Amino acid sequence: MEKTRKSNKRLQTAKELSRVVADYYQECGEAKAEGRPVGWMPPMNGAIEIFYAMGLQPVFPENWSPVCAAFGLTPDNFEVSEGMGYSRDLCGYLRNIIGYVNGPIDDPSFPLGSLPAPDIILSPGGGCIPVMKIFHALERRFPEARVLTSDMPQVAVEDIQEHHIEYAVEQVNQLVAFLTKVTGRKLDMDRLSAVVQLSDQACALWDEIMTYRRFIPAPFSAAEMGIMFVMVTRQGTRIAVDFLEKVLAEIKERAANGIGVIENEKIRLFWDNIPLWYNMGVFNYFEKMNGVVVAETYSAAWSLRLDTSSPIRALALKSLMSYPLVSCVSIKKRREMVLKACRDYHIDGVVLHRNKSCVPITLGQMDIKRELEETLGVPSVIIDADHMDERNFSTAQFQTRIDAFMETLLAKKQARR
Amino acid sequence: MAVSVTSPFIQVLNTHAETLTNLVEEGRKAMGYFCHYTPVELIHASGLIPVRISGGPGDVEMAYNLAPDFICPYMKRGLEKALAGNYRFLSGLVQGYTCDIACGMANVWADNIEGDLFHILPLPYEDTEKSRRYLHVEYSNLIGKLSDLGGNFSDTSLSRSLELYARIRTHILDFYQRRFEGKLPLSSSELWQVIQAGFVSVPETYLDMLEDLQVELDKLSIPDPSGVPVLISGSLIETPDILDFLESSGGQIVADDLCSGMRSASTSSGSSSDPMERLADLHFNRFPCPSRSRAEDRLPLIQQLIEQSGARGVVFMFQKFCTPHLSDYPFLSDQLKASGIPSVMIELDESWQANAQMGTRLEGLFEIIEG
């Protein structure tokens, strides 16, 4: 087993992903060349729809990190940031991005044309600490960029009250006012409505796509999870909707014809925490023992249905909910989601990725593990790894633990027959 | 060094669990917290005793059943102690939102430790009219939850609590001012004992102890300074032994921006007639923690401390895996170096043990400073 490996993809549409990704980054570069303002922002918030509605170009440094990992470029970026004094114990996204912007960002040979420098930085006062600190570092690196600090309180999803939403709406309005002042562009509310409708449509498609993973055999696995790229970068655009409609059509056909990821699917798995972006091939590893990862935590973060009759409020709520839903801000909600997924997707076992680079998602896993056993009788295994830094991933440990886990699951399944 | 004057504070640190347990058995209630962004004045005004959770040096075993090992020692050891039953006297935990781990651990505690209330206060970051209005609603929510526990809040009780804690802060800051002037007859470890005792005491009792201490300090002679003057920057220091080690290695701690030190008292309220507004002032005026601020915000404050104290170097003393401090460190150390202030960074795990490697690094810094 290799330390870094791309995944084997079965979906035709997933194979087209490289074009989708390339088109997006080309558009980012073209925006800069055309003088269209480029804004760097964290993911998981309602600013993306605002940007598209105002004809601005959103760029997501956090999303760029998996791209760097896929191209095997993170070690070079780590060398830069760690050389600057950033500890190896810090989040891999943080070390990668800070290394990238202080290292190869201006290298013309960098894959996908590299990222265009920001004209605008949306700096979060909310979300996780590493994301906050990434943007502080970006403010230092790009002093010419205009900065807006957003103030989105971190509230557990189940505790959100009207005053939280009102405050979040205020933040969205502040964002719009800031962008208008800085770019001279006004937000057309009809245009925003259309964008929010497209965003909601993409979420509806995404949710429908995910329901097909309940089929036995599952028509696609976490190995194809790159398709969520459009949910991260293109929400609010026709591009996302068109791509997801194609994905849905392909998956429907596979499900209708009983075409699974593998011929003899015996074990259905759930993956908790962020994938290993440098080794999406781990999702294929289970297949040699007839296992398929049919559901995961991470994909749930990108789909939140929006009330299109009230676009600003809908985006405010999206900004409030997205991060807490998958992190330790809402361990209770997170636990409910995992258990529901295990029921809905007929899960035999759960792989808990104890992720050195992401404590907010790792904290609470032991409570989830316990609940899985006590409530559902679903066994789980812990894998110690890192979503960005392959130095924290041991293939030997992974293989040993997974092999034993799969044997246990297969034996348990056999005994039930 | 004046040992006897801090004996009452050492006594508090050694016996506070028993004291608080007795008070709870007599009908009082105690509420735990992790960070200073928790509005202790509001908790106190509701009739409860705010108690800061401590970790301290030790092993971690049970906590690893609930949390990964790559989180800070404070949180690991705090949870270990809670699982061992050391915090049975608490009615729960209130946490003003700071870092991811503190938030997550408040939720882990809620799931695994007995208590009636586990509440995270989602605090705003920016000081605006709208954020203050939002904060007032959050305070009201918390008052309601404390009231459900039998709390008895009023604006009058809040005014009294604000006044009480202000007087405590005045004494703490006076000790630091004396130290800046080279007139504090307490070692760094003794000052640490004085401040930590306040986190686990009934505040009225603690104020009396501080007032007594002031009288005693005036009677003591000031020792001659020795060692290279340095500022310590970091979060919590959970044992005074580390401070003694630093000073026995050739340093003299003349300032700190530790949350178990000066930052615990570094805030102020304005003169509004509305006590809730004065409470909000305390939140926004706090010497910022890196979990809620930019390094650029903290740098001038640290530089001011360096100037006030005459520190000639900085020892960054971090808990292992502390993301907020580790993230700001490169910028701060570079900027300090550019202004002629050398620094060294030391990380500590849950043993809080000094070792030869640490000693070598400290001695190296002191040699650089002395030229």
Side-chain angles (χ1 to χ4, degrees):
Chain A
M1 184 184 182
E2 303 95 327
K3 262 221 177 188
T4 62
R5 188 167 172 264
K6 292 193 188 333
S7 60
N8 291 342
K9 296 173 182 53
R10 273 66 170 212
L11 293 181
Q12 188 56 42
T13 41
K15 290 174 190 164
E16 292 172 23
L17 196 60
S18 52
R19 179 190 53 77
V20 172
V21 173
D23 284 351
Y24 167 74
Y25 286 109
Q26 185 177 341
E27 185 179 299
C28 292
E30 283 169 358
K32 195 74 179 175
E34 290 162 12
R36 198 151 41 88
V38 169
W40 286 30
M41 65 178 71
M44 297 176 155
N45 60 70
I48 177 172
E49 286 89 350
I50 300 284
F51 262 63
Y52 280 127
M54 292 178 78
L56 307 170
Q57 184 62 46
V59 171
F60 307 91
E62 189 173 308
N63 173 258
W64 183 242
S65 283
V67 172
C68 292
F71 280 102
L73 298 166
T74 49
D76 292 340
N77 294 335
F78 288 156
E79 202 177 315
V80 173
S81 57
E82 288 163 22
M84 290 168 70
Y86 287 93
S87 166
R88 261 190 73 171
D89 289 330
L90 287 167
C91 163
Y93 280 161
L94 181 152
R95 282 180 288 129
N96 182 70
I97 278 297
I98 290 177
Y100 169 71
V101 298
N102 287 286
I105 186 172
D106 294 322
D107 180 352
S109 68
F110 207 85
L112 298 176
S114 211
L115 290 183
D119 303 298
I120 296 163
I121 293 175
L122 300 189
S123 203
C128 66
I129 298 288
V131 164
M132 185 201 297
K133 293 300 180 184
I134 284 171
F135 279 81
H136 294 171
L138 293 176
E139 291 172 30
R140 272 173 226 137
R141 173 62 181 84
F142 302 107
E144 325 77 28
R146 301 291 297 273
V147 177
L148 175 72
T149 301
S150 77
D151 191 349
M152 200 61 69
Q154 290 97 324
V155 193
V157 169
E158 61 271 25
D159 294 335
I160 291 176
Q161 295 172 42
E162 187 56 34
H163 71 281
H164 297 121
I165 301 172
E166 280 171 12
Y167 193 65
V169 165
E170 249 319 297
Q171 293 299 306
V172 174
N173 286 333
Q174 256 190 49
L175 167 65
V176 172
F178 166 79
L179 291 174
T180 300
K181 183 177 170 190
V182 162
T183 69
R185 295 175 184 229
K186 285 201 165 80
L187 175 64
D188 180 284
M189 287 308 293
D190 288 339
R191 174 85 188 112
L192 181 66
S193 284
V195 165
V196 169
Q197 280 183 30
L198 284 168
S199 190
D200 185 57
Q201 201 177 339
C203 290
L205 284 163
W206 183 260
D207 290 348
E208 192 178 351
I209 288 166
M210 291 299 133
T211 63
Y212 281 92
R213 295 169 91 185
R214 299 178 193 189
F215 275 66
I216 301 171
F220 75 103
S221 80
E224 330 261 0
M225 204 32 58
I227 57 174
M228 76 179 194
F229 180 84
V230 295
M231 294 297 284
V232 178
T233 60
R234 293 289 204 186
Q235 273 195 346
T237 68
R238 173 54 59 184
I239 294 171
V241 170
D242 289 347
F243 179 73
L244 291 172
E245 279 175 346
K246 281 176 75 173
V247 171
L248 178 61
E250 185 180 359
I251 284 167
K252 265 185 177 172
E253 195 182 334
R254 286 173 70 89
N257 292 309
I259 302 171
V261 174
I262 52 176
E263 267 190 37
N264 190 15
E265 178 192 292
K266 286 185 184 168
I267 296 293
R268 297 168 65 85
L269 300 159
F270 181 97
W271 177 279
D272 183 61
N273 216 312
I274 304 172
L276 312 188
W277 296 123
Y278 48 87
N279 196 337
M280 293 294 279
V282 297
F283 290 127
N284 299 123
Y285 183 81
F286 304 95
E287 293 167 12
K288 69 172 190 173
M289 287 165 282
N290 302 113
V292 177
V293 180
V294 305
E296 62 286 309
T297 312
Y298 205 53
S299 53
W302 309 101
S303 174
L304 278 171
R305 298 300 303 271
L306 304 171
D307 177 2
T308 56
S309 68
S310 196
I312 295 283
R313 185 181 166 93
L315 295 178
L317 204 46
K318 175 183 171 181
S319 302
L320 268 178
M321 289 177 67
S322 299
Y323 169 67
L325 210 49
V326 292
S327 71
C328 57
V329 178
S330 263
I331 291 183
K332 189 174 158 192
K333 206 71 187 167
R334 200 160 112 55
R335 194 163 52 230
E336 282 171 15
M337 271 175 50
V338 174
L339 263 69
K340 183 175 185 304
C342 286
R343 290 187 188 100
D344 289 349
Y345 294 102
H346 319 291
I347 297 296
D348 298 303
V350 173
V351 179
L352 296 164
H353 169 202
R354 188 157 58 193
N355 185 354
K356 177 97 185 326
S357 268
C358 187
V359 184
I361 303 183
T362 301
L363 256 182
Q365 275 183 330
M366 300 310 283
D367 290 296
I368 290 172
K369 185 178 189 1
R370 186 176 60 209
E371 186 92 16
L372 284 168
E373 282 162 14
E374 288 176 4
T375 304
L376 297 182
V378 171
S380 54
V381 66
I382 293 172
I383 298 297
D384 288 294
D386 191 303
H387 69 271
M388 279 297 293
D389 195 338
E390 66 198 65
R391 294 173 294 183
N392 294 327
F393 174 55
S394 160
T395 53
Q397 190 215 64
F398 179 84
Q399 284 178 273
T400 305
R401 289 189 188 178
I402 292 300
D403 288 354
F405 184 57
M406 290 296 288
E407 275 179 33
T408 308
L409 292 178
L410 284 163
K412 188 178 171 194
K413 198 138 197 179
Q414 191 65 31
R416 280 209 300 262
R417 288 214 173 106
Chain B
M1 280 295 168
V3 172
S4 62
V5 291
T6 58
S7 296
F9 299 90
I10 297 170
Q11 172 86 351
V12 164
L13 288 173
N14 291 339
T15 62
H16 70 275
E18 190 185 330
T19 305
L20 290 164
T21 300
N22 290 340
L23 285 169
V24 166
E25 282 170 1
E26 289 167 13
R28 294 290 303 270
K29 281 191 162 61
M31 183 59 66
Y33 68 96
F34 292 137
C35 303
H36 291 306
Y37 284 89
T38 306
V40 293
E41 293 85 354
L42 192 153
I43 295 172
H44 181 261
S46 298
L48 289 85
I49 307 166
V51 178
R52 192 176 194 189
I53 304 298
S54 71
D59 294 327
V60 180
E61 204 175 305
M62 293 184 284
Y64 284 147
N65 290 328
L66 295 172
D69 67 346
F70 43 89
I71 62 173
C72 65
Y74 172 59
M75 286 299 171
K76 282 192 278 197
R77 285 284 306 147
L79 179 59
E80 187 76 14
K81 285 168 65 174
L83 291 168
N86 291 24
Y87 286 114
R88 279 201 195 98
F89 54 84
L90 291 176
S91 294
L93 194 80
V94 172
Q95 167 64 4
Y97 197 100
T98 51
C99 70
D100 307 321
I101 314 312
C103 167
M105 287 302 262
N107 285 324
V108 170
W109 277 56
D111 282 338
N112 295 280
I113 307 296
E114 265 193 51
D116 298 314
L117 173 66
F118 292 90
H119 181 68
I120 298 169
L121 206 58
L123 297 165
Y125 291 83
E126 303 293 306
D127 188 358
T128 65
E129 192 188 315
K130 290 190 169 84
S131 69
R132 281 181 178 250
R133 247 199 331 263
Y134 163 86
L135 187 53
H136 280 225
V137 178
E138 283 297 325
Y139 286 153
S140 297
N141 274 354
L142 177 55
I143 290 165
K145 287 177 191 274
L146 293 170
S147 168
D148 290 342
L149 292 184
N152 193 12
F153 178 90
S154 69
D155 278 358
T156 306
S157 67
L158 180 57
S159 288
R160 279 202 293 263
S161 298
L162 287 167
E163 167 68 20
L164 171 63
Y165 276 95
R167 289 172 66 189
I168 289 171
R169 284 196 305 275
T170 300
H171 283 296
I172 302 295
L173 293 173
D174 180 66
F175 299 146
Y176 275 95
Q177 184 58 38
R178 287 197 199 207
R179 188 159 79 170
F180 291 152
E181 296 168 6
K183 292 176 183 171
L184 182 69
L186 291 177
S187 69
S188 297
S189 58
E190 286 168 332
L191 180 59
W192 181 92
Q193 287 159 350
V194 169
I195 297 174
Q196 305 318 296
F199 299 153
V200 294
S201 300
V202 175
E204 289 86 347
T205 308
Y206 184 58
L207 177 61
D208 289 342
M209 290 170 67
L210 290 175
E211 286 169 352
D212 290 344
L213 178 63
Q214 290 279 29
V215 171
E216 294 303 312
L217 289 180
D218 287 338
K219 300 174 187 170
L220 298 172
S221 58
I222 311 295
D224 290 329
S226 70
V228 175
V230 292
L231 175 148
I232 299 191
S233 180
S235 59
L236 296 114
I237 298 291
E238 293 231 86
T239 171
D241 297 346
I242 282 290
L243 306 175
D244 286 337
F245 179 82
L246 189 156
E247 294 194 319
S248 67
S249 300
Q252 185 197 2
I253 301 167
V254 295
D256 71 67
D257 78 321
L258 301 169
C259 91
S260 55
M262 189 172 172
R263 276 202 275 131
S264 67
S266 295
T267 186
S268 59
S269 60
S271 54
S272 169
S273 57
D274 179 1
M276 291 281 264
E277 192 62 17
R278 298 203 300 277
L279 186 66
D281 288 339
L282 291 177
H283 168 66
F284 289 114
N285 293 341
R286 191 164 283 290
F287 190 121
C289 169
S291 69
R292 297 189 56 89
S293 63
R294 289 172 172 77
E296 285 83 348
D297 297 331
R298 297 186 58 240
L299 177 65
L301 299 173
I302 293 171
Q303 286 172 325
Q304 191 179 358
L305 285 175
I306 289 171
E307 205 175 319
Q308 269 180 294
S309 63
R312 295 172 61 200
V314 172
V315 177
F316 289 100
M317 206 165 257
F318 297 154
Q319 296 192 75
K320 201 142 169 62
F321 306 117
C322 177
T323 291
H325 279 283
L326 287 170
S327 302
D328 283 0
Y329 165 71
F331 172 78
L332 289 175
S333 63
D334 282 351
Q335 293 295 307
L336 288 171
K337 186 177 173 185
S339 64
I341 301 288
S343 66
V344 71
M345 194 256 278
I346 285 167
E347 286 178 277
L348 291 145
D349 64 19
E350 54 269 16
S351 69
W352 287 96
Q353 263 180 10
N355 54 34
Q357 191 199 74
M358 194 185 300
T360 304
R361 300 185 68 205
L362 288 169
E363 285 163 13
L365 173 69
F366 302 147
E367 278 173 27
I368 289 170
I369 292 170
E370 292 200 292

